Coordinates of all heavy atoms in Angstrom, one line a residue:
M1 N 16.0 -15.2 -5.4 CA 15.1 -14.2 -5.0 C 15.5 -13.5 -3.7 O 15.4 -12.4 -3.5 CB 13.7 -14.8 -4.8 CG 12.6 -13.8 -4.4 SD 12.0 -13.0 -5.9 CE 10.6 -12.1 -5.2
S2 N 16.2 -14.3 -2.8 CA 16.6 -13.8 -1.5 C 17.7 -12.6 -1.6 O 17.9 -11.9 -0.7 CB 17.1 -14.8 -0.6 OG 18.3 -15.5 -1.1
N3 N 18.4 -12.6 -2.8 CA 19.3 -11.5 -2.9 C 18.8 -10.3 -3.5 O 19.5 -9.3 -3.7 CB 20.5 -12.0 -3.8 CG 21.3 -13.1 -3.1 OD1 21.4 -13.1 -1.9 ND2 21.9 -14.0 -3.9
L4 N 17.5 -10.3 -3.8 CA 16.8 -9.2 -4.4 C 16.7 -8.0 -3.4 O 16.3 -8.2 -2.3 CB 15.4 -9.5 -4.9 CG 14.8 -8.7 -6.0 CD1 15.6 -8.5 -7.2 CD2 13.4 -9.3 -6.3
R5 N 17.2 -6.8 -3.9 CA 17.0 -5.7 -3.1 C 16.2 -4.6 -3.8 O 16.2 -4.6 -5.0 CB 18.4 -5.1 -2.7 CG 19.2 -6.0 -1.9 CD 20.6 -5.6 -1.9 NE 20.9 -4.3 -1.3 CZ 21.2 -4.3 0.0 NH1 21.3 -5.3 0.7 NH2 21.5 -3.1 0.6
Y6 N 15.4 -3.8 -3.0 CA 14.6 -2.8 -3.7 C 15.2 -1.4 -3.5 O 16.3 -1.2 -3.5 CB 13.2 -3.0 -3.1 CG 12.7 -4.5 -3.3 CD1 12.8 -5.3 -2.2 CD2 12.4 -4.9 -4.5 CE1 12.4 -6.6 -2.4 CE2 11.9 -6.2 -4.7 CZ 12.0 -7.0 -3.6 OH 11.7 -8.4 -3.8
L7 N 14.3 -0.4 -3.2 CA 14.8 0.9 -2.9 C 15.5 0.9 -1.6 O 15.1 0.2 -0.7 CB 13.7 1.9 -2.9 CG 12.9 2.0 -4.2 CD1 11.7 3.0 -4.0 CD2 13.8 2.5 -5.4
E8 N 16.5 1.7 -1.5 CA 17.3 1.8 -0.2 C 16.6 2.7 0.8 O 16.1 3.8 0.4 CB 18.8 2.2 -0.5 CG 19.5 1.2 -1.2 CD 21.0 1.5 -1.4 OE1 21.4 2.5 -0.8 OE2 21.7 0.7 -2.0
N9 N 16.7 2.4 2.0 CA 16.2 3.3 3.1 C 14.7 3.7 3.0 O 14.5 4.9 3.5 CB 17.1 4.5 3.2 CG 18.6 4.1 3.4 OD1 18.9 3.2 4.2 ND2 19.4 4.8 2.7
V10 N 13.9 2.9 2.6 CA 12.5 3.3 2.5 C 11.6 2.2 3.3 O 10.4 2.5 3.5 CB 11.9 3.4 1.1 CG1 12.6 4.5 0.3 CG2 12.0 2.0 0.4
V11 N 12.2 1.2 3.8 CA 11.5 0.1 4.5 C 11.0 0.5 5.8 O 11.8 1.2 6.6 CB 12.4 -1.1 4.6 CG1 11.8 -2.2 5.4 CG2 12.7 -1.6 3.1
T12 N 9.8 0.2 6.2 CA 9.3 0.6 7.5 C 9.6 -0.3 8.6 O 9.1 -0.1 9.7 CB 7.8 0.8 7.4 OG1 7.2 -0.5 7.0 CG2 7.3 1.8 6.3
L13 N 10.3 -1.4 8.4 CA 10.6 -2.5 9.4 C 11.3 -1.9 10.6 O 12.3 -1.2 10.4 CB 11.4 -3.6 8.8 CG 11.8 -4.7 9.6 CD1 10.6 -5.6 10.0 CD2 12.8 -5.6 8.9
E14 N 10.8 -2.2 11.8 CA 11.5 -1.8 13.0 C 11.5 -3.0 14.0 O 10.6 -3.8 14.0 CB 10.7 -0.7 13.7 CG 10.8 0.7 12.9 CD 10.0 1.7 13.6 OE1 9.9 1.7 14.9 OE2 9.4 2.6 12.9
L15 N 12.7 -3.1 14.6 CA 12.9 -4.2 15.6 C 13.2 -3.6 17.0 O 14.1 -2.8 17.1 CB 14.1 -5.1 15.1 CG 14.6 -6.1 16.1 CD1 13.5 -7.1 16.5 CD2 15.9 -6.8 15.5
D16 N 12.4 -4.1 18.0 CA 12.6 -3.7 19.4 C 13.4 -4.8 20.0 O 12.8 -5.8 20.4 CB 11.4 -3.4 20.1 CG 11.6 -2.9 21.5 OD1 12.7 -3.1 22.1 OD2 10.7 -2.3 22.1
V17 N 14.8 -4.7 20.0 CA 15.7 -5.8 20.6 C 15.4 -6.1 22.0 O 15.5 -7.2 22.5 CB 17.1 -5.4 20.3 CG1 18.0 -6.5 20.9 CG2 17.4 -5.3 18.8
E18 N 14.9 -5.0 22.8 CA 14.7 -5.3 24.2 C 13.5 -6.3 24.4 O 13.5 -7.1 25.3 CB 14.4 -4.0 24.9 CG 15.6 -3.0 24.9 CD 16.7 -3.6 25.6 OE1 16.5 -4.1 26.7 OE2 17.8 -3.5 25.1
K19 N 12.5 -6.2 23.5 CA 11.4 -7.1 23.7 C 11.7 -8.5 23.1 O 11.0 -9.5 23.6 CB 10.2 -6.6 22.8 CG 9.5 -5.4 23.4 CD 8.3 -5.0 22.5 CE 7.5 -3.9 23.1 NZ 6.3 -3.6 22.2
C20 N 12.6 -8.7 22.2 CA 12.9 -9.9 21.6 C 13.3 -11.1 22.6 O 14.1 -10.8 23.4 CB 14.0 -9.8 20.5 SG 14.5 -11.3 19.8
I21 N 12.7 -12.2 22.5 CA 13.1 -13.4 23.3 C 13.8 -14.4 22.6 O 14.0 -15.5 23.1 CB 11.8 -14.0 23.9 CG1 10.8 -14.5 22.9 CG2 11.1 -13.0 24.9 CD1 9.6 -15.3 23.4
G22 N 14.2 -14.2 21.3 CA 15.0 -15.0 20.5 C 14.4 -16.4 20.1 O 15.1 -17.3 19.9
C23 N 13.1 -16.4 19.9 CA 12.5 -17.6 19.5 C 12.9 -18.0 18.0 O 12.7 -19.2 17.7 CB 10.9 -17.4 19.5 SG 10.2 -16.3 18.4
G24 N 13.2 -17.1 17.2 CA 13.6 -17.4 15.8 C 12.5 -17.4 14.8 O 12.8 -17.6 13.6
M25 N 11.3 -17.2 15.2 CA 10.2 -17.4 14.2 C 10.4 -16.4 13.1 O 10.1 -16.6 11.9 CB 8.8 -17.1 14.9 CG 8.3 -18.3 15.6 SD 8.1 -19.8 14.5 CE 6.9 -19.1 13.4
C26 N 10.8 -15.2 13.4 CA 10.9 -14.1 12.3 C 11.9 -14.6 11.2 O 11.6 -14.4 10.1 CB 11.3 -12.8 12.9 SG 12.8 -12.9 13.9
A27 N 13.0 -15.2 11.6 CA 14.0 -15.6 10.7 C 13.5 -16.8 9.8 O 13.8 -16.9 8.7 CB 15.3 -16.0 11.4
V28 N 12.6 -17.6 10.5 CA 12.1 -18.8 9.8 C 11.1 -18.3 8.7 O 11.1 -18.8 7.6 CB 11.4 -19.7 10.8 CG1 10.6 -20.8 10.0 CG2 12.4 -20.4 11.7
V29 N 10.3 -17.4 9.0 CA 9.1 -17.1 8.1 C 9.5 -16.0 7.1 O 8.9 -15.9 6.0 CB 7.9 -16.5 8.9 CG1 7.4 -17.6 9.7 CG2 8.1 -15.3 9.6
C30 N 10.6 -15.2 7.3 CA 11.0 -14.2 6.4 C 11.4 -14.8 5.0 O 12.4 -15.6 5.0 CB 12.1 -13.4 7.0 SG 12.6 -12.0 5.7
P31 N 10.8 -14.5 3.9 CA 11.2 -15.0 2.6 C 12.4 -14.4 2.0 O 12.9 -15.0 1.0 CB 9.9 -14.7 1.7 CG 9.4 -13.5 2.4 CD 9.6 -13.5 3.8
H32 N 13.0 -13.4 2.6 CA 14.1 -12.7 2.0 C 15.4 -12.7 2.9 O 16.3 -11.8 2.6 CB 13.7 -11.3 1.6 CG 13.0 -11.3 0.2 ND1 13.0 -10.3 -0.6 CD2 12.3 -12.3 -0.3 CE1 12.3 -10.6 -1.8 NE2 11.9 -11.8 -1.5
G33 N 15.4 -13.4 3.9 CA 16.6 -13.4 4.8 C 16.9 -12.1 5.4 O 18.1 -11.8 5.6
V34 N 16.0 -11.3 5.7 CA 16.1 -10.0 6.3 C 16.6 -10.1 7.8 O 17.4 -9.2 8.2 CB 14.9 -9.2 6.2 CG1 15.0 -7.8 6.9 CG2 14.5 -9.0 4.7
L35 N 16.2 -11.2 8.4 CA 16.5 -11.2 9.8 C 17.2 -12.5 10.2 O 17.1 -13.5 9.6 CB 15.1 -11.3 10.6 CG 14.2 -10.0 10.5 CD1 12.7 -10.4 10.4 CD2 14.5 -9.1 11.5
E36 N 18.1 -12.3 11.2 CA 18.8 -13.5 11.7 C 18.7 -13.4 13.3 O 18.4 -12.3 13.9 CB 20.3 -13.4 11.4 CG 20.6 -13.8 9.9 CD 22.1 -13.7 9.7 OE1 22.9 -13.4 10.6 OE2 22.5 -14.0 8.6
V37 N 18.9 -14.5 13.9 CA 19.0 -14.6 15.4 C 20.3 -15.0 15.8 O 20.9 -16.1 15.4 CB 17.9 -15.5 15.9 CG1 18.0 -15.6 17.5 CG2 16.5 -15.0 15.5
E38 N 21.0 -14.2 16.6 CA 22.3 -14.5 17.2 C 22.2 -14.3 18.7 O 21.8 -13.3 19.2 CB 23.4 -13.7 16.6 CG 23.9 -14.1 15.3 CD 25.0 -13.3 14.8 OE1 25.5 -12.4 15.6 OE2 25.5 -13.5 13.7
E39 N 22.7 -15.3 19.4 CA 22.8 -15.1 20.9 C 21.4 -14.8 21.4 O 21.3 -13.8 22.3 CB 23.8 -14.2 21.3 CG 25.2 -14.6 20.9 CD 26.4 -13.7 21.3 OE1 26.1 -12.6 21.9 OE2 27.5 -14.0 21.0
R40 N 20.4 -15.4 20.9 CA 19.0 -15.3 21.4 C 18.4 -13.8 21.2 O 17.6 -13.4 22.0 CB 18.9 -15.7 22.9 CG 19.2 -17.2 23.0 CD 18.7 -17.9 24.2 NE 17.2 -17.8 24.4 CZ 16.4 -18.6 23.7 NH1 16.8 -19.5 22.8 NH2 15.1 -18.4 24.0
K41 N 18.9 -13.1 20.2 CA 18.4 -11.8 19.9 C 18.3 -11.7 18.3 O 19.3 -12.1 17.7 CB 19.2 -10.7 20.5 CG 19.1 -10.5 21.9 CD 17.8 -10.0 22.4 CE 17.7 -9.8 23.8 NZ 16.3 -9.3 24.3
A42 N 17.1 -11.2 17.8 CA 17.0 -11.1 16.4 C 17.8 -9.8 16.0 O 18.0 -8.8 16.9 CB 15.6 -10.9 16.1
R43 N 18.2 -9.7 14.8 CA 18.8 -8.5 14.2 C 18.5 -8.4 12.8 O 18.2 -9.4 12.1 CB 20.3 -8.5 14.5 CG 21.1 -9.5 13.8 CD 22.6 -9.4 14.2 NE 23.4 -10.3 13.5 CZ 24.2 -10.0 12.5 NH1 24.3 -8.7 12.1 NH2 25.0 -10.8 11.8
I44 N 18.5 -7.2 12.3 CA 18.2 -7.0 10.8 C 19.5 -7.1 10.1 O 20.4 -6.2 10.4 CB 17.4 -5.7 10.7 CG1 16.1 -5.6 11.4 CG2 17.2 -5.4 9.2 CD1 15.4 -4.3 11.5
V45 N 19.6 -8.0 9.1 CA 20.8 -8.1 8.4 C 20.7 -7.6 6.9 O 21.7 -7.3 6.3 CB 21.3 -9.6 8.4 CG1 21.7 -9.9 9.8 CG2 20.4 -10.5 7.9
E46 N 19.5 -7.5 6.4 CA 19.3 -7.1 5.0 C 18.1 -6.2 4.9 O 17.1 -6.6 4.2 CB 19.2 -8.3 4.1 CG 20.5 -9.0 3.7 CD 21.3 -8.2 2.7 OE1 20.8 -7.1 2.3 OE2 22.4 -8.6 2.4
R47 N 18.1 -5.1 5.6 CA 16.9 -4.2 5.6 C 16.4 -3.9 4.3 O 15.1 -4.0 4.1 CB 17.2 -2.9 6.4 CG 16.1 -2.0 6.3 CD 16.5 -0.7 7.0 NE 16.6 -0.9 8.4 CZ 15.6 -0.8 9.3 NH1 14.4 -0.6 8.9 NH2 15.8 -1.1 10.6
D48 N 17.2 -3.6 3.3 CA 16.6 -3.2 2.0 C 16.1 -4.3 1.2 O 15.6 -4.1 0.1 CB 17.7 -2.4 1.2 CG 18.1 -1.1 1.9 OD1 17.1 -0.5 2.5 OD2 19.2 -0.7 1.7
A49 N 16.3 -5.6 1.7 CA 15.7 -6.7 1.0 C 14.2 -7.0 1.5 O 13.5 -7.8 0.9 CB 16.5 -8.0 1.2
C50 N 13.8 -6.3 2.5 CA 12.5 -6.4 3.0 C 11.4 -6.0 2.1 O 11.5 -4.9 1.5 CB 12.3 -5.6 4.4 SG 10.6 -5.7 5.1
I51 N 10.4 -6.8 1.9 CA 9.3 -6.4 1.0 C 8.0 -6.1 1.8 O 6.9 -6.0 1.2 CB 8.9 -7.6 0.1 CG1 8.5 -8.9 0.8 CG2 10.0 -7.9 -0.9 CD1 8.0 -10.1 -0.1
E52 N 8.1 -5.9 3.0 CA 7.1 -5.4 3.9 C 5.9 -6.4 3.8 O 4.7 -5.9 3.8 CB 6.7 -4.0 3.6 CG 7.9 -3.0 3.9 CD 7.6 -1.6 3.5 OE1 6.9 -1.3 2.5 OE2 8.0 -0.7 4.3
C53 N 6.1 -7.7 3.9 CA 5.0 -8.6 3.8 C 4.3 -8.8 5.1 O 3.2 -9.2 5.1 CB 5.5 -10.0 3.2 SG 6.6 -10.8 4.4
G54 N 4.9 -8.5 6.2 CA 4.4 -8.6 7.5 C 4.5 -9.9 8.2 O 3.9 -10.0 9.3
A55 N 5.0 -10.9 7.5 CA 5.1 -12.3 8.1 C 5.8 -12.3 9.4 O 5.4 -12.9 10.4 CB 5.7 -13.2 7.1
C56 N 6.9 -11.5 9.5 CA 7.7 -11.5 10.7 C 6.9 -10.9 11.9 O 6.8 -11.6 13.0 CB 9.0 -10.8 10.6 SG 8.8 -9.1 10.0
A57 N 6.4 -9.8 11.7 CA 5.6 -9.1 12.8 C 4.4 -10.0 13.1 O 4.1 -10.1 14.3 CB 5.1 -7.8 12.3
G58 N 3.8 -10.6 12.2 CA 2.6 -11.4 12.5 C 2.9 -12.7 13.2 O 1.9 -13.3 13.9
N59 N 4.1 -13.1 13.2 CA 4.5 -14.4 13.9 C 5.4 -14.1 15.1 O 5.8 -15.1 15.8 CB 5.3 -15.3 12.9 CG 4.3 -16.0 11.9 OD1 3.7 -17.0 12.2 ND2 4.2 -15.4 10.7
C60 N 5.6 -12.9 15.5 CA 6.5 -12.6 16.6 C 5.6 -12.6 17.8 O 4.5 -11.9 17.9 CB 7.1 -11.2 16.5 SG 8.0 -10.7 18.0
P61 N 5.9 -13.4 18.9 CA 5.0 -13.6 20.0 C 5.0 -12.5 21.0 O 4.1 -12.4 21.9 CB 5.5 -14.9 20.7 CG 6.9 -14.9 20.3 CD 7.1 -14.3 18.9
V62 N 6.0 -11.6 20.8 CA 6.1 -10.5 21.8 C 6.0 -9.1 21.2 O 6.4 -8.1 21.8 CB 7.4 -10.6 22.6 CG1 7.4 -11.9 23.5 CG2 8.6 -10.6 21.8
E63 N 5.6 -9.1 19.9 CA 5.4 -7.8 19.2 C 6.7 -7.0 19.2 O 6.7 -5.8 19.3 CB 4.3 -7.0 19.7 CG 2.9 -7.7 19.6 CD 1.7 -6.9 20.2 OE1 1.9 -5.9 20.8 OE2 0.6 -7.4 19.9
A64 N 7.8 -7.7 19.0 CA 9.1 -6.9 18.9 C 9.3 -6.4 17.5 O 10.3 -5.5 17.4 CB 10.2 -7.9 19.2
L65 N 8.5 -6.8 16.5 CA 8.7 -6.3 15.1 C 7.5 -5.5 14.7 O 6.4 -5.8 15.0 CB 8.9 -7.5 14.3 CG 10.2 -8.2 14.3 CD1 10.1 -9.6 13.9 CD2 11.3 -7.4 13.5
I66 N 7.7 -4.4 14.1 CA 6.7 -3.6 13.5 C 7.0 -3.3 12.0 O 8.2 -2.9 11.7 CB 6.6 -2.2 14.2 CG1 6.2 -2.4 15.7 CG2 5.6 -1.3 13.5 CD1 6.2 -1.2 16.6
V67 N 6.0 -3.5 11.1 CA 6.3 -3.2 9.7 C 4.9 -2.8 9.2 O 3.9 -3.4 9.5 CB 6.9 -4.3 9.0 CG1 6.0 -5.6 9.0 CG2 7.3 -3.9 7.6
K68 N 4.9 -1.7 8.4 CA 3.7 -1.4 7.7 C 3.5 -2.2 6.5 O 3.9 -1.8 5.4 CB 3.7 0.1 7.3 CG 3.6 1.0 8.6 CD 3.7 2.5 8.3 CE 3.7 3.3 9.5 NZ 4.0 4.7 9.2
A69 N 2.8 -3.3 6.7 CA 2.7 -4.3 5.6 C 1.8 -3.8 4.4 O 0.7 -3.2 4.7 CB 2.1 -5.6 6.1
G70 N 2.2 -4.0 3.2 CA 1.3 -3.6 2.1 C 1.2 -2.1 1.7 O 0.3 -1.7 1.0
V71 N 2.0 -1.2 2.3 CA 2.0 0.2 2.1 C 3.4 0.6 1.8 O 4.4 -0.1 2.0 CB 1.4 1.0 3.2 CG1 0.0 0.5 3.5 CG2 2.3 0.9 4.5
G72 N 3.5 1.8 1.3 CA 4.8 2.4 1.2 C 5.5 2.2 -0.1 O 4.9 1.5 -1.1
C73 N 6.7 2.6 -0.4 CA 7.3 2.6 -1.6 C 7.7 1.2 -2.1 O 7.5 0.9 -3.3 CB 8.6 3.4 -1.5 SG 8.4 5.2 -1.2
A74 N 8.2 0.3 -1.2 CA 8.5 -1.0 -1.6 C 7.3 -1.7 -2.2 O 7.4 -2.4 -3.2 CB 9.1 -1.8 -0.4
S75 N 6.2 -1.6 -1.5 CA 5.0 -2.2 -2.0 C 4.5 -1.6 -3.3 O 4.0 -2.3 -4.2 CB 3.8 -2.0 -1.0 OG 2.7 -2.6 -1.4
A76 N 4.7 -0.3 -3.4 CA 4.3 0.4 -4.7 C 5.2 -0.1 -5.9 O 4.7 -0.4 -7.0 CB 4.5 1.9 -4.5
I77 N 6.4 -0.3 -5.6 CA 7.3 -0.8 -6.7 C 6.9 -2.2 -7.1 O 6.8 -2.5 -8.3 CB 8.8 -0.8 -6.2 CG1 9.3 0.7 -6.0 CG2 9.7 -1.5 -7.2 CD1 9.4 1.5 -7.2
I78 N 6.6 -3.1 -6.1 CA 6.2 -4.4 -6.5 C 4.9 -4.5 -7.2 O 4.7 -5.1 -8.2 CB 6.1 -5.2 -5.1 CG1 7.5 -5.4 -4.5 CG2 5.5 -6.6 -5.5 CD1 7.5 -5.9 -3.1
N79 N 3.9 -3.6 -6.7 CA 2.6 -3.6 -7.5 C 2.8 -3.1 -8.8 O 2.2 -3.5 -9.8 CB 1.7 -2.7 -6.7 CG 1.2 -3.4 -5.4 OD1 1.1 -4.6 -5.4 ND2 0.8 -2.6 -4.4
G80 N 3.8 -2.2 -9.0 CA 4.1 -1.6 -10.4 C 4.6 -2.7 -11.3 O 4.2 -2.9 -12.5
W81 N 5.5 -3.5 -10.8 CA 6.0 -4.7 -11.5 C 4.9 -5.6 -11.9 O 4.8 -6.1 -13.0 CB 7.1 -5.4 -10.7 CG 8.4 -4.8 -10.5 CD1 8.9 -3.7 -11.2 CD2 9.4 -5.1 -9.6 NE1 10.1 -3.4 -10.7 CE2 10.4 -4.2 -9.8 CE3 9.5 -6.1 -8.6 CZ2 11.6 -4.3 -9.0 CZ3 10.6 -6.2 -7.8 CH2 11.7 -5.3 -8.0
L82 N 4.1 -5.9 -11.0 CA 3.1 -6.9 -11.2 C 1.9 -6.4 -12.2 O 1.4 -7.2 -13.0 CB 2.4 -7.3 -9.8 CG 3.2 -8.0 -8.8 CD1 2.5 -8.3 -7.5 CD2 3.7 -9.4 -9.4
T83 N 1.6 -5.1 -12.1 CA 0.6 -4.6 -12.9 C 1.1 -4.0 -14.2 O 0.3 -3.8 -15.1 CB -0.3 -3.6 -12.2 OG1 0.5 -2.5 -11.9 CG2 -0.9 -4.1 -10.8
G84 N 2.4 -3.6 -14.3 CA 2.8 -3.0 -15.4 C 2.5 -1.5 -15.5 O 2.8 -0.8 -16.4
E85 N 2.0 -1.0 -14.4 CA 1.6 0.4 -14.3 C 2.7 1.2 -13.6 O 3.6 0.6 -12.9 CB 0.3 0.6 -13.5 CG -0.8 -0.1 -14.3 CD -2.2 0.0 -13.6 OE1 -2.2 0.6 -12.4 OE2 -3.2 -0.5 -14.1
E86 N 2.6 2.5 -13.7 CA 3.6 3.4 -13.0 C 3.4 3.2 -11.5 O 2.4 3.4 -10.9 CB 3.3 4.8 -13.4 CG 4.4 5.7 -13.0 CD 5.7 5.5 -13.9 OE1 5.7 5.0 -15.0 OE2 6.8 5.9 -13.4
P87 N 4.6 2.9 -10.8 CA 4.5 2.8 -9.3 C 4.0 4.1 -8.6 O 4.4 5.2 -9.0 CB 5.8 2.5 -8.8 CG 6.5 1.9 -10.1 CD 5.9 2.7 -11.2
S88 N 3.1 4.0 -7.7 CA 2.7 5.2 -6.9 C 2.3 4.8 -5.5 O 1.5 3.8 -5.3 CB 1.4 5.8 -7.5 OG 1.0 6.9 -6.7
C89 N 3.0 5.4 -4.5 CA 2.7 5.1 -3.1 C 2.1 6.2 -2.3 O 1.8 6.1 -1.2 CB 3.9 4.7 -2.5 SG 5.2 5.9 -2.3
D90 N 1.9 7.4 -2.9 CA 1.3 8.5 -2.4 C 2.0 9.1 -1.2 O 1.5 9.8 -0.4 CB -0.2 8.2 -2.0 CG -1.0 7.8 -3.2 OD1 -0.8 8.3 -4.3 OD2 -1.9 6.9 -3.0
C91 N 3.3 8.7 -1.0 CA 4.0 9.2 0.2 C 4.4 10.6 0.1 O 4.4 11.4 1.0 CB 5.1 8.2 0.6 SG 6.4 8.2 -0.7
S92 N 5.1 10.9 -1.1 CA 5.6 12.3 -1.2 C 5.6 12.7 -2.7 O 6.1 13.8 -3.0 CB 7.1 12.4 -0.6 OG 7.9 11.5 -1.5
G93 N 5.2 11.9 -3.6 CA 5.3 12.2 -5.0 C 6.6 12.0 -5.6 O 6.9 12.4 -6.7
S94 N 7.6 11.4 -4.9 CA 9.0 11.3 -5.3 C 9.3 10.0 -6.0 O 10.4 9.8 -6.4 CB 9.9 11.6 -4.2 OG 9.8 10.6 -3.1
C95 N 8.4 9.0 -5.9 CA 8.7 7.7 -6.6 C 7.8 7.4 -7.7 O 7.2 8.2 -8.3 CB 8.7 6.6 -5.5 SG 7.3 6.3 -4.7
Ligands
LIG1 S1 8.1 -7.9 6.5 FE1 8.4 -9.8 5.4 S2 10.2 -9.5 4.1 FE2 10.3 -7.9 5.7 S3 11.5 -8.7 7.4 FE3 9.4 -9.2 7.8 S4 9.1 -11.3 6.9 FE4 11.0 -10.4 6.0
LIG2 S1 9.9 -13.6 16.3 FE1 10.1 -11.8 17.7 S2 10.8 -12.7 19.7 FE2 11.2 -14.2 18.1 S3 13.3 -13.9 17.4 FE3 12.0 -12.7 16.0 S4 11.8 -10.6 17.0 FE4 12.6 -12.0 18.6

């Protein structure tokens, strides 16, 4: 599952490296190996594998991560898979 990738360049995940204190919680809770911590700073290593679940942002003690959990194209695609319906995210009508 961790090698699964979705649409490219649609993920809302943002990392403010200046705020990061290197605690490693984001890398621990991320189910898809999107984040790693090196030299006490987090970095995004697999952006397109992010499912916008929000776990990283919810567990970051300094709000260094921002992600629009449960919205957007990635969420729409997943909901489409789960429901068997045509994916729709209302962003631009392009997916
Ligand atoms: S939103 Fe979820 S999948 Fe994406 S980086 Fe954060 S924990 Fe990983
Ligand atoms: S949870 Fe936040 S502070 Fe901790 S390593 Fe990740 S981004 Fe940095």
Side-chain angles (χ1 to χ4, degrees):
M1 186 82 173
S2 63
N3 292 329
L4 198 56
R5 294 164 68 91
Y6 305 100
L7 298 177
E8 293 187 3
N9 302 319
V10 299
V11 171
T12 60
L13 179 67
E14 293 179 30
L15 168 64
D16 186 337
V17 177
E18 295 300 315
K19 285 185 179 178
C20 176
I21 58 172
C23 71
M25 278 304 296
C26 56
V28 169
V29 299
C30 178
H32 279 209
V34 174
L35 298 146
E36 284 182 0
V37 178
E38 279 187 5
E39 297 180 1
R40 300 199 57 77
K41 288 289 180 183
R43 66 185 184 103
I44 298 170
V45 293
E46 281 285 355
R47 173 180 292 277
D48 291 332
C50 175
I51 58 171
E52 297 179 323
C53 67
C56 57
N59 284 280
C60 177
V62 294
E63 299 182 348
L65 288 153
I66 297 172
V67 64
K68 293 179 181 172
V71 300
C73 296
S75 178
I77 294 295
I78 293 165
N79 285 334
W81 286 346
L82 294 175
T83 64
E85 296 177 0
E86 194 69 24
S88 174
C89 64
D90 301 324
C91 62
S92 66
S94 60
C95 60

